[in-house]
Amino acid sequence: MPRPIQTAIWSRQAQWMLTQSRRRLGPTFTLQIAYEGKWVIVSDPEMIKQVFTGDPKVFHAGEGNEILRPLLGKFSLLTLDDGAHMSQRKLLLPPFHGRRMAGYEESMREIAGREIERWPTGVPYQLRPRMQAMTLDIILATVFGVEGGERLSPLRESLRAFLDMLTDPRFIVPLLGLGPDRIRSFPPFRRRVDRVAALIGREIADRRVAGDLEERDDILSLLVAARHEDGSPMSDAEIHDELLTLLVAGHETTATALSWAIERLIRHPDKLSRLRDEVAAGEDAYLTATIQETLRLRPVIVIVIRRLTEAIKLGGYDLPAGLSVVPSIHLVHRDPTIYPEPDRFLPERFLETPPGTYTWIPFGGGVRRCLGAAFAQQEMAIVLEELVARRVIEPTDPAPERNMRRAITETPRRNTEVVLS
Ligand code: HEM
């Protein structure tokens, strides 16, 4: 198919296109989308393993994200490769480790409970925008360390405006058209980015002189205290770029995954009621399995991209430098040889068999694996626990929601419409 037609289909129905292509062409095939070079889609777990464990100098992930540079800055983990990527990643890893994660639980639970109590009962209500409000507040509390007080509202509002810009075609189309360099001078863009930068700059400056830095466990405080290998602190620009990156990478994704979890559960009342019973009994195995199954069946992101800096051999193919190898999350998650009855929502499947490193890949893999994977799953678990414990949730329409593309995420088309009681 000509590139513009492939692009048009991809932008509306990426999962359908992947499934149809595999059906017609087999597990490995090429696509040509927008201005991207050729993509070789791979869906065989052995090949995916080779990609994720391959030399990061050969499999570049940051290069393909350069369009994000004017938004997130030149230090953003998402846009870097090689040594620069590893050095930022090392600084960002400690705040996402187990011990730290437990420290975020209280804030997550508090914000989730407060938000859920505000939701109206007895009327049709769209959960996805509310999930977004909740995940934004959770990031503000745990990442920025801003949980209340007079600073919360301006920060929340300016970040909201910034995030909305990223999913609004009126901004995204000029962004793509102008390219990463000229977009900087586009006034509506400039205004939002500058406002966010000023507010974040103020938080960083305050934290640098805070007397209680040692006791604080928000990620901003940890980054202020972090040191590069040569002992130097992170610059304001580095911290700014990474905070924005965590916000952009962690906010809409988690809200969308939560929306899908509810969307699937309410259409399987037996599973919802098992989840409610197990949560009430203080068990978390079914909760974990529900989250894993949601991320399998409705992955928020359907592919990850690695651009080759050198020619490689992969699964019997000779692939030249410059080409992108693209593990398809969607295809491997729907492979019937790995997951019997792959289109069914069956959390039980993960009670017996834990997810495999190269067959369950909603968070990608290797040295680029999602930094917030544990954070997101903990947040999902807490929000689901709070929600099923506090409310009865029913769909307004028995028909499943189809997916719809919002920027790079696949979201429920009707925004997870429910009636709560
Ligand atoms: C359910 C929610 C989420 C999903 C489905 C998700 C998915 C992903 C995926 C697919 C990648 C690319 C991995 C690769 O290329 O192999 C990624 C990268 C990343 N994610 Fe997440 N993510 C989620 C939540 C979060 C959260 C909560 C945070 C932080 C608070 C976060 C921070 C990041 C960062 C910083 C990267 C870039 C890692 C790097 O390039 O080294 N994500 N995520």
Side-chain angles (χ1 to χ4, degrees):
M1 266 183 213
R3 184 182 280 269
I5 296 183
Q6 293 198 33
T7 306
I9 302 175
W10 179 260
S11 64
R12 296 187 66 83
Q13 282 305 335
Q15 302 188 34
W16 178 85
M17 189 173 187
L18 288 166
T19 307
Q20 291 304 316
S21 306
R22 176 166 66 183
R23 196 164 290 160
R24 290 179 51 190
L25 306 164
T28 312
F29 51 90
T30 62
L31 292 181
Q32 297 189 65
I33 308 295
Y35 53 85
E36 294 272 320
K38 205 174 259 187
W39 284 355
V40 175
I41 307 280
V42 296
S43 58
D44 167 57
E46 260 315 304
M47 280 164 82
I48 291 176
K49 180 177 177 183
Q50 268 190 59
V51 176
F52 285 161
T53 55
D55 182 352
K57 289 199 194 74
V58 176
F59 294 90
H60 270 186
E63 218 179 285
N65 288 334
E66 66 210 1
I67 195 78
L68 293 173
R69 214 163 282 146
L71 294 163
L72 304 179
K74 64 178 181 189
F75 294 109
S76 166
L77 193 66
L78 282 168
T79 65
L80 297 174
D81 280 304
D82 302 332
H85 171 258
M86 273 330 279
S87 89
Q88 291 295 312
R89 193 165 162 113
K90 273 192 198 143
L91 293 167
L92 283 168
L93 273 172
F96 287 95
H97 263 231
R99 191 173 60 80
R100 293 286 177 195
M101 213 52 67
Y104 307 139
E105 181 176 341
E106 200 184 311
S107 293
M108 288 178 174
R109 202 171 288 285
E110 223 251 317
I111 292 168
R114 196 173 25 171
E115 177 67 26
I116 292 163
E117 288 302 323
R118 266 199 234 122
W119 297 347
T121 51
V123 290
Y125 194 58
Q126 294 192 337
L127 283 194
R128 198 192 55 80
R130 299 318 310 164
M131 291 294 189
Q132 275 195 302
M134 192 188 302
T135 58
L136 178 56
D137 276 5
I138 288 176
I139 289 203
L140 283 171
T142 55
V143 176
F144 290 72
V146 179
E147 211 154 339
E150 59 186 30
R151 295 220 169 153
L152 180 60
S153 287
L155 194 57
R156 186 199 270 144
E157 257 102 74
S158 69
L159 290 176
R160 188 67 273 147
F162 174 81
L163 291 163
D164 286 345
M165 176 173 79
L166 303 185
T167 47
D168 183 343
R170 284 172 307 167
F171 287 101
I172 289 302
V173 173
L175 177 75
L176 294 175
L178 288 172
D181 293 325
R182 275 180 295 160
I183 183 75
R184 266 180 254 271
S185 47
F186 183 49
F189 173 83
R190 199 61 277 163
R191 263 198 308 278
R192 285 174 174 77
V193 171
D194 287 349
R195 172 132 181 87
V196 163
L199 292 173
I200 295 183
R202 192 166 74 170
E203 293 305 322
I204 299 172
D206 281 6
R207 212 60 58 82
R208 288 213 189 270
V209 294
D212 62 348
L213 199 62
E214 301 280 289
E215 290 106 71
R216 299 186 63 111
D217 59 7
D218 58 85
I219 292 177
L220 167 53
S221 299
L222 297 173
L223 295 185
V224 165
R227 293 291 176 266
H228 287 285
E229 267 167 8
D230 65 2
S232 62
M234 290 176 82
S235 66
D236 284 3
E238 284 177 290
I239 298 185
H240 167 276
D241 295 357
E242 301 312 358
L243 289 182
L244 262 193
T245 299
L246 296 176
L247 171 77
V248 166
H251 152 263
E252 172 132 351
T253 43
T254 314
T256 304
L258 273 164
S259 307
W260 278 123
I262 299 296
E263 191 283 336
R264 288 293 74 207
L265 282 165
I266 54 179
R267 291 187 172 77
H268 298 84
D270 54 323
K271 319 249 180 259
L272 177 55
S273 102
R274 175 164 180 189
L275 178 65
R276 177 169 290 126
D277 292 348
E278 299 213 2
V279 165
E283 301 283 338
D284 61 7
Y286 199 71
L287 176 63
T288 305
T290 300
I291 292 166
Q292 290 163 340
E293 179 66 345
T294 302
L295 290 167
R296 179 194 71 83
L297 192 58
R298 295 288 185 271
V300 174
I301 293 170
V302 294
I303 53 162
V304 293
I305 304 179
R306 302 288 186 266
R307 195 175 290 169
L308 296 178
T309 59
E310 281 175 22
I312 59 156
K313 264 196 188 311
L314 184 71
Y317 296 95
D318 285 313
L319 306 180
L323 196 117
S324 292
V325 184
V326 178
S328 169
I329 299 171
H330 168 71
L331 287 180
V332 75
H333 285 186
R334 296 291 184 105
D335 184 336
T337 63
I338 305 167
Y339 298 104
E341 301 188 88
D343 298 337
R344 286 187 64 197
F345 179 67
L346 286 175
E348 292 73 9
R349 68 172 94 235
F350 288 115
L351 291 176
E352 282 131 43
T353 322
T357 312
Y358 305 106
T359 51
W360 185 80
I361 53 168
F363 297 105
V367 296
R368 304 305 295 231
R369 186 169 189 268
C370 175
L371 204 68
F375 184 100
Q377 288 170 95
Q378 171 171 312
E379 181 174 349
M380 288 180 73
I382 291 172
V383 174
L384 289 175
E385 273 173 352
E386 292 298 317
L387 185 50
V388 299
R390 289 165 193 261
R391 295 286 181 265
V392 172
I393 324 158
E394 282 163 317
T396 53
D397 180 341
E401 291 200 37
R402 295 182 57 200
N403 60 302
M404 189 189 89
R405 176 65 72 89
R406 266 174 62 92
I408 61 157
T409 58
E410 296 286 338
T411 64
R413 194 174 285 250
R414 298 196 303 276
N415 285 326
T416 312
E417 199 176 67
V418 300
V419 177
L420 301 165
S421 54

